[in-house]
Amino acid sequence: MAYQHGSGRGGNSRGTRGGQGGQRSNQTNRPFHKRRPSNGGGSRRGKSNHRGAYIHPSKFVNKATISGEETPYEPKHTFADFPFHPALHKNIAHKKYTTPSAIQDQSIPFTLEGRDVLGLANTGTGKTAAFLLPILNNLYSNPVPTSVLILAPTRELAQQIDEQFRDFSYGMKLFSTLLVGGANIDRQMKQLVRRPHVVIGTPGRVMDLIKRKKLNLGQINTVVLDEADRMLDMGFVNDIREIIGLTPNERQTLFFSATITPQIQKLMDEFLNNPEVISVRTADTSERVDQDIVIAATKEEKLEKLQDMLGKDEFEKVLLFGETKFGVQRLSDHLDNSGIPSAAIHGNKSQSQRQRALRAFKNDHVKVLVATDVAARGLDIPNVSHVINFDQPATYEDYVHRIGRTGRGTATGKALTFVPPHK
Ligand code: AMP
């Protein structure tokens, strides 16, 4: 099949920022009016503090309406159709990617053209390669130092992007630097002196390095905002505005987000120029996850029921959520002492401890990962069989993020939430 993007739409003119651009298909509009229900627990946005808001238990119960047997996406392109440099094709083949995922299939042609893109995609749909491959291809022809900036909401997600960058850039003499909190800033400053082509980071640390005059964004020609909705949820909006505002106007901007909230729309209007909007959102996560409650009156009863469940074979790979850093650590210690090996990630752990915990879980060395909400955001962990909410989430939105860690790709997942008995 010849390489084609099959559209005469949009053009490549760079008018004033803020155009709506050519939106693709009816689906594209879907998130504007069909948004997740966010009632029940209130939303974090707008009102300041909803910790402990009551969520009716019925909201934790749902039979998955979409089975794991969704029809597979039929891509219009093969990777061979994309006019990448042979070195990049070789690395794609080495990663054993044979067919482009939906977001890759639909966005790569536009990104290669230099268009701004808003990709509406659930996590785990191959977004990372969707932006990295065209970026690497451009860089190979035009390896300008510090010309690509990739922002991600969490350290873990930034690290995962960096790992994929390394795989895909093998032998291409293109280099990246990871700028995240919790890691040694002196080392990051030294790495910046070597003028890497790509900087990948979380907004807080990136801002810090800019303020210390160690990172200059004057050469940036490509900006990626990954999981934009989560970044805003985490309160990074001012940093993001400031950071993108420091990059040259003549640039390509790529936003990825699971939803379009009014805040995302606003950022889009400010920073995207005539974007191609591509929506590959499938069913809402909550439709793909079997959800139920577990009733327990006391903490002891919760622990007992939890241990019973974790002893069963079907609980193969379990992400267990607790509310506080201390609670999560205690829960993990308790499970270890009860003969159920677990790992924990929360804000009191160093970056290397978090990485170690994540690796142990990913590689099936432990079957339980205990986490706080913030630590778990943006994680790409395949095959999580169950999400268990030992402590209830503070908001319904947190709940949806939590359960979105299972039922990924085309799998059906299970989510269980502990609730007290009805009085
Ligand atoms: P992401 O959404 O970018 O985090 O990707 C989710 C997972 O899918 C990662 O483990 C990727 O390595 C993998 N992946 C992404 N694209 C493809 C593809 N075209 N073929 C096979 N695996 C892929």
Side-chain angles (χ1 to χ4, degrees):
M1 181 175 26
Y3 171 71
Q4 266 189 347
H5 64 70
S7 145
R9 206 177 353 214
N12 197 16
S13 64
R14 298 196 77 90
T16 50
R17 293 200 174 277
Q20 280 305 298
Q23 299 193 345
R24 286 168 71 80
S25 82
N26 294 334
Q27 269 187 17
T28 304
N29 287 325
R30 189 168 164 239
F32 285 97
H33 49 259
K34 185 181 184 305
R35 297 235 288 281
R36 294 179 191 129
S38 63
N39 52 330
S43 155
R44 256 198 202 155
R45 296 185 198 95
K47 293 173 200 155
S48 56
N49 190 353
H50 276 274
R51 277 269 150 228
Y54 178 71
I55 306 173
H56 194 275
S58 64
K59 296 199 69 79
F60 302 135
V61 182
N62 177 55
K63 193 87 201 120
T65 48
I66 313 253
S67 75
E69 311 299 316
E70 269 178 75
T71 347
Y73 174 75
E74 276 184 38
K76 292 191 199 68
H77 307 96
T78 63
F79 280 112
D81 292 330
F82 296 134
F84 293 144
H85 288 283
L88 186 53
H89 274 303
K90 202 167 138 198
N91 291 340
I92 296 169
H94 191 76
K95 285 271 279 184
K96 301 205 164 46
Y97 283 18
T98 50
T99 22
S101 72
I103 187 73
Q104 293 160 5
D105 189 43
Q106 294 181 39
S107 70
I108 287 175
F110 293 103
T111 316
L112 276 175
E113 259 190 11
R115 293 281 307 277
D116 283 1
V117 168
L118 172 71
L120 295 171
N122 305 67
T123 40
T125 49
K127 283 182 286 123
T128 319
F131 61 78
L132 281 183
L133 297 177
I135 284 175
L136 274 164
N137 195 65
N138 291 343
L139 275 175
Y140 200 53
S141 311
N142 188 24
V144 180
T146 325
S147 60
V148 177
L149 170 69
I150 302 175
L151 293 174
T154 63
R155 299 164 186 183
E156 282 78 13
L157 185 59
Q159 173 114 24
Q160 284 166 16
I161 296 169
D162 191 46
E163 279 163 14
Q164 291 212 34
F165 179 91
R166 278 155 206 259
D167 291 348
F168 284 124
S169 64
Y170 184 79
M172 294 169 78
K173 295 201 162 52
L174 294 170
F175 304 100
S176 64
T177 280
L178 185 63
L179 306 178
V180 295
N184 188 316
I185 197 163
D186 292 328
R187 203 163 64 211
Q188 293 172 356
M189 293 195 279
K190 282 197 194 110
Q191 283 167 349
L192 284 171
V193 173
R194 299 172 64 193
R195 315 216 321 135
H197 303 93
V198 178
V199 290
I200 304 168
T202 44
R205 181 55 64 93
V206 165
M207 207 55 231
D208 194 356
L209 286 157
I210 293 172
K211 288 202 171 125
R212 292 174 189 233
K213 302 214 178 322
K214 301 297 175 190
L215 173 62
N216 181 325
L217 303 182
Q219 294 299 309
I220 296 288
N221 57 31
T222 312
V223 172
V224 178
L225 213 60
D226 198 11
E227 310 227 341
D229 47 354
R230 292 210 183 140
M231 250 186 282
L232 298 189
D233 269 356
M234 293 170 78
F236 284 135
V237 69
N238 292 334
D239 282 347
I240 289 168
R241 275 218 168 85
E242 209 171 331
I243 293 168
I244 305 185
L246 289 168
T247 64
N249 260 355
E250 275 305 303
R251 57 158 201 270
Q252 183 177 30
T253 313
L254 311 171
F255 277 18
F256 291 87
S257 184
T259 51
I260 297 193
T261 60
Q263 253 190 323
I264 297 281
Q265 180 72 47
K266 204 154 162 252
L267 269 198
M268 238 176 96
D269 293 346
E270 270 172 65
F271 294 117
L272 291 174
N273 175 27
N274 186 31
E276 187 65 32
V277 181
I278 293 168
S279 175
V280 301
R281 280 163 43 92
T282 49
D284 276 349
T285 312
S286 44
E287 292 164 36
R288 271 183 287 115
V289 179
D290 263 331
Q291 301 158 58
D292 211 345
I293 50 171
V294 182
I295 295 171
T298 61
K299 183 150 182 229
E300 288 65 39
E301 194 182 345
K302 273 171 123 179
L303 286 170
E304 217 171 279
K305 289 197 167 162
L306 178 68
Q307 271 168 248
D308 278 355
M309 290 192 280
L310 294 178
K312 292 184 186 150
D313 286 346
E314 61 170 297
F315 286 72
E316 276 170 46
K317 202 171 183 127
V318 179
L319 189 52
L320 180 61
F321 281 97
E323 193 181 352
T324 63
K325 299 169 198 172
F326 296 105
V328 159
Q329 190 57 53
R330 258 202 313 270
L331 194 51
S332 175
D333 294 343
H334 176 88
L335 291 177
D336 287 344
N337 293 335
S338 320
I340 302 170
S342 71
I345 51 169
H346 52 71
N348 279 355
K349 291 214 158 188
S350 70
Q351 188 58 14
S352 61
Q353 285 173 320
R354 288 192 199 196
Q355 281 311 121
R356 215 174 312 133
L358 206 55
R359 220 174 301 128
F361 185 57
K362 271 192 172 174
N363 299 339
D364 295 323
H365 296 150
V366 294
K367 84 169 183 176
V368 184
L369 181 69
V370 198
T372 54
D373 286 292
V374 170
R377 290 207 171 185
L379 299 185
D380 168 34
I381 307 167
N383 309 322
V384 170
S385 65
H386 292 75
V387 166
I388 301 180
N389 298 308
F390 190 79
D391 297 319
Q392 282 188 26
T395 67
Y396 188 71
E397 253 178 82
D398 284 339
Y399 176 72
V400 174
H401 279 149
R402 285 183 181 189
I403 69 170
R405 309 293 104 206
T406 182
R408 304 186 54 141
T410 53
T412 309
K414 291 204 169 60
L416 295 166
T417 304
F418 279 99
V419 298
H422 196 62
K423 286 187 191 114

